[in-house]
Amino acid sequence: MIDTMTNFRDIDERLSSLSAHRTLLAIRNAYLSILPYVIVMAAVTVATNLFHFTGIDTGIAAYVGHLARYLAELFPEVILLSLSWSLNSHNRIRAPAVMLVSLPVFWILCGWDQLYAEVGQQTRSLGSTIAIYPAILLTHTAFRLFARENTRSDPQRVVMSQMITFNLRYVLPGVIAVGLAIVLRLAFVALADRYAQDVYALLVDRIPYHLEVILFVMFLQVLSLFAIHGYATMLGVFEYLQNKSDVLGLPSPEFFTLYATPGGAGSVLCLMLVMLVVSSRREYKSLARISAPLTLFNISETLVFGIPLVFNLRMAWAFISVPTINASLAYAAMSMGWVAPPPNSVHWAVPYLISSYLAFDGVYLPSMLLQLTCIGCGVLIYSVAWRRYVHRERSSKDEYPVFPSRHASDSAFGDDALDIVLMEENVSRWSRIKQADRTLKWLAEGQLELVFQPIVDVSTHRIKHVEALLRYRDARGELHPPQFLDVLRHHPGVMEGIECWVIRTAAHHVRHWNEAGFSKRLFINVTPLFFSSNNVRRCFFNALNDCPINSLGIEITEQALLEDLPRTLSDIKLFQSMDVQFALDDFGSGYSSFNYLSQLGVDFIKLDKTLIDNIHLPRQASVVESVYQLCRHLSLQVICEGVDKDAKEARLERIGVTLMQGFLLYRPMEAPALETLLRQEQDTAGSLKGA
């Protein structure tokens, strides 16, 4: 029994991890990115229905109706373009090229005979929805197989050669994709002509109507779970059920619009109510309130993609079972005569209870009570699923892995991927994965750099030490602080790579400076991994062997010390025996620094900028002076950070501080600028000695 439960948990974890798969995440982000289009389309559709029900027949009403129809007809193309961009822009394939090729492939697959023919919106929607994913697959596959992105520029290559290469890289895959689409379309038509009638007859004769309706509703939700518009995709099945109900005199399958799917895919109206009542987290309640006006009009995308429900296999059973059970209840009630079949069809965007009023041309209590019963059933099911989902999210100790790739640019979490910040518990994981993968890309492409800020002895006006600072360079060539480091603490593997890269790069600069005659100690900022990771320690030992003596220093923070204080103190003594000096960074920004200041054994204390910002005030100046005197008695050198005004420098000098760092003295600079500065300082010192 225990082994069986363990196996079930293992399967659950494996299936749940699929929701963070690179391709599924890209698809989910693509659908979420077109949410504004969906909202506008639904709002125009609701306005069209209001004009119709109120009897307004004006030019504006006609214009709004045409606009609603056009937006609905263009919706598949919008989905296709969004998916094309999201799935391809992070790869070596040019996303615009893929989008341009996918459009003709899409139009061929949905039927070239429908491009100029007068066809209904439903037929157009059916063919288009079916064609979306094959169009993406064919186009993407053709480009992956035949396009070779050549990033090297050869100045000797002639213009004609460049044109030939461009054609082979983009035109040839496009022609192949279009050809494959034509072949596939012909195959579909041939198979339909050969087998469609036989399959139709088999379904009519062999499968009971009520079972077909229930299975139809269930598969609608299965497709929606994977971000496929189930109703449009299965429109042919719906029309078949509609014809069968007319022939047999049974309730029309349109009843599920009234009872089975209020609130959109998976009856998310029930989930919204559960989140408002049951959830204790502010983020969930906020999302439910934001989505409530849309959900009442059966626009479910804010919840479906906001939690998310799509690709979320832990919520899949409720997502599928709520509409299926409600459809079963409604069909049973109509079969037993408790509720009459609705005489009028109602648009999907009409809110609950109002839809019942319109379906029966007035107040019909049995139908309204059945709607409320379905809502209650859905709330009950979703409350169980939601409690279990939130509990698993809070208690889960697993971290989704970073998705390393042979080529960093093949990452699924490219710069264009949409950051979703509606929820903390699950979406933050995806944003962390995305940032981790993006950082791997920066490392591979050399976009991470070290800049250097001197630490000046103001008594001699000479550079005493240098601090190395990590930066990344964006596409415009501008440098930015590494704000992503706080996110990457959840991914030790990526942090180890960054830490080792910083150590190796710093050691390279130190060796270069030593060869040029500059003997400055370079301080490196480290994370708690410096004391806990064998890989980082090994990397630092190798750097020590390659660098001159007294050339490296380590800056640690209070957080690094608190991870494992006894081991950290032991390691500090070990490294100090190898002529490595330590500085406690950001002193004064925490609360427990004084408790262990006497036992640290570090060489420098760096007073945080926040401690000296108000040094012009007598009380604050007294605090800084007291800290300085305490450090002097403990034989600790003091460095003041954030010195950006002459008044601060003068006040610190009166206190006795001589080592300072800040924008007033020097801003962080790149390696060539620092070398020029050190050389000028060296030349000035030499000329003074000569004089």
Side-chain angles (χ1 to χ4, degrees), residues 227-282:
I228 300 175
H229 196 292
Y231 179 73
T233 306
M234 299 183 66
L235 188 57
V237 179
F238 175 80
E239 292 174 350
Y240 153 76
L241 293 174
Q242 184 74 51
N243 294 333
K244 189 171 182 177
S245 65
D246 294 338
V247 173
L248 300 179
L250 298 173
S252 169
E254 287 187 345
F255 77 87
F256 70 79
T257 304
L258 289 178
Y259 306 113
T261 58
S267 299
V268 296
L269 175 63
C270 306
L271 175 60
M272 182 202 71
L273 296 175
V274 170
M275 292 172 62
L276 286 174
V277 176
V278 174
S279 179
S280 59
R281 291 188 61 87
R282 176 176 54 85

Side-chain angles (χ1 to χ4, degrees), residues 312-426:
N312 185 348
L313 299 184
R314 288 180 177 174
M315 292 288 289
W317 70 274
F319 186 81
I320 297 172
S321 63
V322 169
T324 304
I325 293 176
N326 286 344
S328 302
L329 290 176
Y331 190 83
M334 287 186 292
S335 299
M336 296 179 182
W338 297 345
V339 179
N344 303 323
S345 62
V346 180
H347 194 271
W348 58 268
V350 178
Y352 223 36
L353 298 181
I354 299 177
S355 60
S356 177
Y357 181 89
L358 297 175
F360 291 92
D361 293 322
V363 176
Y364 181 58
L365 290 179
S367 175
M368 293 182 175
L369 290 176
L370 180 57
Q371 284 187 325
L372 294 176
T373 302
C374 291
I375 285 289
C377 179
V379 167
L380 180 63
I381 295 174
Y382 264 121
S383 62
V384 176
W386 182 253
R387 291 179 185 275
R388 180 176 179 272
Y389 170 70
V390 173
H391 173 73
R392 291 296 300 272
E393 285 295 313
R394 289 178 176 175
S395 62
S396 177
K397 302 298 182 182
D398 63 307
E399 292 290 348
Y400 291 128
V402 178
F403 299 114
S405 55
R406 187 173 303 172
H407 302 288
S409 58
D410 287 338
S411 160
F413 306 97
D415 292 338
D416 67 310
L418 184 65
D419 282 324
I420 306 167
V421 293
L422 289 174
M423 314 305 299
E424 279 187 3
E425 292 295 332
N426 50 341

Side-chain angles (χ1 to χ4, degrees), residues 76 106 109-110 114 120-132 229-239:
F106 164 78
L109 291 177
C110 72
Q114 297 183 20
Q121 177 183 336
Q122 291 185 332
T123 307
R124 166 70 172 161
S125 178
L126 169 65
S128 300
T129 308
I130 293 176
I132 288 176
H229 196 292
Y231 179 73
T233 306
M234 299 183 66
L235 188 57
V237 179
F238 175 80
E239 292 174 350

Side-chain angles (χ1 to χ4, degrees), residues 434-459:
K434 172 192 164 185
Q435 185 61 73
D437 211 36
R438 182 185 296 173
T439 308
L440 290 175
K441 175 182 177 181
W442 289 339
L443 279 173
E445 296 181 354
Q447 293 178 328
L448 291 179
E449 299 181 14
L450 288 183
V451 297
F452 306 92
Q453 188 173 26
I455 301 171
V456 180
D457 186 344
V458 295
S459 63

Side-chain angles (χ1 to χ4, degrees), residues 208-227:
Y209 173 73
H210 67 276
L211 181 60
E212 290 176 332
V213 172
I214 302 304
L215 291 176
F216 173 72
V217 174
M218 183 180 70
F219 280 109
L220 285 181
Q221 314 316 317
V222 173
L223 293 174
S224 299
L225 183 67
F226 295 96

Side-chain angles (χ1 to χ4, degrees), residues 416-565:
D416 67 310
L418 184 65
D419 282 324
I420 306 167
V421 293
L422 289 174
M423 314 305 299
E424 279 187 3
E425 292 295 332
N426 50 341
V427 176
S428 61
R429 292 184 178 180
W430 285 317
S431 62
R432 293 200 303 264
I433 294 169
K434 172 192 164 185
Q435 185 61 73
D437 211 36
R438 182 185 296 173
T439 308
L440 290 175
K441 175 182 177 181
W442 289 339
L443 279 173
E445 296 181 354
Q447 293 178 328
L448 291 179
E449 299 181 14
L450 288 183
V451 297
F452 306 92
Q453 188 173 26
I455 301 171
V456 180
D457 186 344
V458 295
S459 63
T460 62
H461 301 287
R462 298 194 62 184
I463 297 175
K464 186 71 172 178
H465 308 293
V466 179
E467 180 184 2
L469 302 170
L470 181 63
R471 297 290 186 268
Y472 77 91
R473 191 179 296 276
D474 62 17
R476 295 176 295 182
E478 298 178 358
L479 292 174
H480 301 275
Q483 298 176 348
F484 51 83
L485 290 182
D486 185 59
V487 176
L488 294 182
R489 73 182 187 274
H490 299 277
H491 298 286
V494 180
M495 286 301 300
E496 282 185 356
I498 295 177
E499 196 111 5
C500 290
W501 180 87
V502 170
I503 292 172
R504 289 193 297 267
T505 306
H508 168 76
H509 287 289
V510 166
R511 291 194 301 270
H512 179 68
W513 296 343
N514 184 69
E515 294 170 358
F518 312 135
S519 56
K520 305 295 180 183
R521 187 182 295 273
L522 180 62
F523 280 88
I524 307 170
N525 290 276
V526 299
T527 67
L529 281 174
F530 182 81
F531 299 101
S532 61
S533 170
N534 292 330
N535 292 333
V536 177
R537 291 165 65 89
R538 189 181 306 113
C539 181
F540 188 71
F541 282 128
N542 293 336
L544 283 177
N545 293 331
D546 295 337
C547 291
I549 298 176
N550 298 328
S551 61
L552 288 179
I554 296 296
E555 290 193 13
I556 55 178
T557 61
E558 184 178 318
Q559 178 188 2
L561 291 169
L562 293 177
E563 292 284 335
D564 188 351
L565 185 58

